[in-house]
Amino acid sequence: MSKRFEWARGVLPMVLAASVVTACQTVQTTQSGAVGIERRQSMMVSAKEMDQAASQSYHQILQQAGQKNALNRNKEQVERVRAVARRLIPATGAFRPDAPGWKWEVNVLTSNELNAWCMAGGKIAFYSGIIERLDLTDDEIAAIMGHEIAHALREHARERASRAMVTNVGVAIVGAALGVGQVGSDLLGSVAKVSFELPNSREHETEADRIGVELAARAGYDPRAAIVLWQKMAKASEGAPPQWLSTHPSNETRQQDLRVYAERVMPLYEQATQHTRPVK
């Protein structure tokens, strides 16, 4: 083996490692809001790439649902969900000035699952099962939607895809040091997984809980409904959390956190609903 080859083989991992550091950006995806979200995030995947991949994946899901006659079958139900979205979307500007201008889409999929999600760029899906089986009020629909929108505002899927990419590059660096391996990724293939198939981290769930109650309050929905919703979810799932709320077990700690932050944003709710109260 030539000395030049040995040198290149030793330098390549360092070059790859340096490229990871260079490509990784530390960003603040949202303003802190009344709930005080301050954590900065490290991103390798660009927001544009994530939005494009999410949009393509979302429309593939809608196409498949349409082929099964499972897309927006109940017009009244669809309008109800979209009416909640129309009130929540303007409230997103408190966290991201650009968010109200996203190309939002809201659809209902006929399924018995207790599930809902919002992909990057504001692509929302509600499953009919979560509405019907839990007999949701509009406040509770807003609690779910606010939580899911919060994941999109914070770009949690992009952050998780970036973490996965760092891991993959790390493996490739080891492979390069051994003379094997290839750096590569399929963003479209992973976007569905990081958006709604794999569980969110406890950190992401807490951020989504807190932002979600603020979005609901700003839109004139009672933020305390999130607490009742969690109780319904735990009961319906026999103590195990449903897919949309991650794999972490339901516990009093999470409910207590919701109580604290719902109370914190109550002035926003009072302000939003003030004009609707009858004059005495």
Side-chain angles (χ1 to χ4, degrees):
M1 184 182 295
S2 69
K3 291 184 178 180
R4 179 177 296 179
F5 181 77
E6 288 180 355
W7 176 86
R9 191 172 146 188
V11 168
L12 180 58
M14 292 187 287
V15 172
L16 287 170
S19 70
V20 171
V21 173
T22 302
C24 210
Q25 297 179 337
T26 302
V27 300
Q28 181 73 29
T29 54
T30 60
Q31 297 174 0
S32 60
V35 292
I37 304 299
E38 301 288 352
R39 184 179 66 89
R40 295 181 67 83
Q41 299 154 276
S42 295
M43 304 292 194
M44 282 190 69
V45 180
S46 75
K48 182 178 180 180
E49 289 173 329
M50 200 69 196
D51 286 352
Q52 290 175 341
S55 180
Q56 187 172 346
S57 181
Y58 183 73
H59 288 104
Q60 287 177 352
I61 291 168
L62 295 188
Q63 184 179 25
Q64 292 168 2
Q67 292 170 349
K68 298 176 182 177
N69 192 29
L71 178 63
N72 298 329
R73 287 178 56 181
N74 184 328
K75 291 183 179 180
E76 182 178 346
Q77 193 176 74
V78 173
E79 176 52 31
R80 187 178 172 212
V81 172
R82 287 178 174 171
V84 173
R86 284 194 292 269
R87 286 172 57 176
L88 285 174
I89 289 170
T92 63
F95 290 95
R96 293 184 61 139
D98 64 318
W102 287 355
K103 295 181 180 179
W104 293 88
E105 296 185 57
V106 184
N107 291 282
V108 178
L109 308 181
T110 300
S111 169
N112 198 43
E113 290 184 50
L114 297 178
N115 202 7
W117 38 266
C118 179
M119 299 177 79
K123 308 304 183 187
I124 299 172
F126 255 72
Y127 289 30
S128 59
I130 202 170
I131 301 170
E132 296 165 359
R133 289 172 58 189
L134 299 185
D135 191 22
L136 295 180
T137 65
D138 285 356
D139 288 324
E140 291 163 354
I141 290 176
I144 294 172
M145 193 178 296
H147 176 101
E148 294 306 316
I149 286 174
H151 282 308
L153 294 176
R154 288 291 290 161
E155 300 188 55
H156 285 154
R158 179 184 168 205
E159 185 178 13
R160 292 167 69 201
S162 296
R163 289 176 179 174
M165 184 175 290
V166 169
T167 300
N168 291 339
V169 171
V171 172
I173 290 171
V174 174
L178 298 174
V180 296
Q182 179 179 350
V183 178
S185 65
D186 182 356
L187 184 58
L188 179 60
S190 66
V191 69
K193 290 183 179 180
V194 298
S195 293
F196 54 85
E197 291 179 13
L198 297 178
N200 285 295
S201 68
R202 189 179 298 272
E203 184 175 51
H204 287 179
E205 286 294 286
T206 298
E207 289 181 349
D209 280 348
R210 294 176 182 179
I211 291 175
V213 294
E214 180 167 342
L215 291 175
R218 289 182 179 277
Y221 293 106
D222 192 336
R224 295 167 295 189
I227 304 165
V228 179
L229 171 68
W230 175 259
Q231 293 167 348
K232 281 187 176 183
M233 283 288 192
K235 184 177 180 179
S237 305
E238 298 180 349
Q243 180 180 346
W244 78 279
L245 282 174
S246 88
T247 58
H248 301 307
S250 173
N251 54 54
E252 182 58 32
T253 300
R254 184 170 193 169
Q255 291 186 40
Q256 183 58 37
D257 192 71
L258 283 169
R259 289 188 187 96
V260 170
Y261 283 87
E263 188 63 32
R264 180 178 293 189
V265 299
M266 280 300 291
L268 296 173
Y269 171 63
E270 296 287 343
Q271 182 179 358
T273 57
Q274 190 173 13
H275 68 282
T276 63
R277 295 174 186 168
V279 178
K280 294 183 178 180

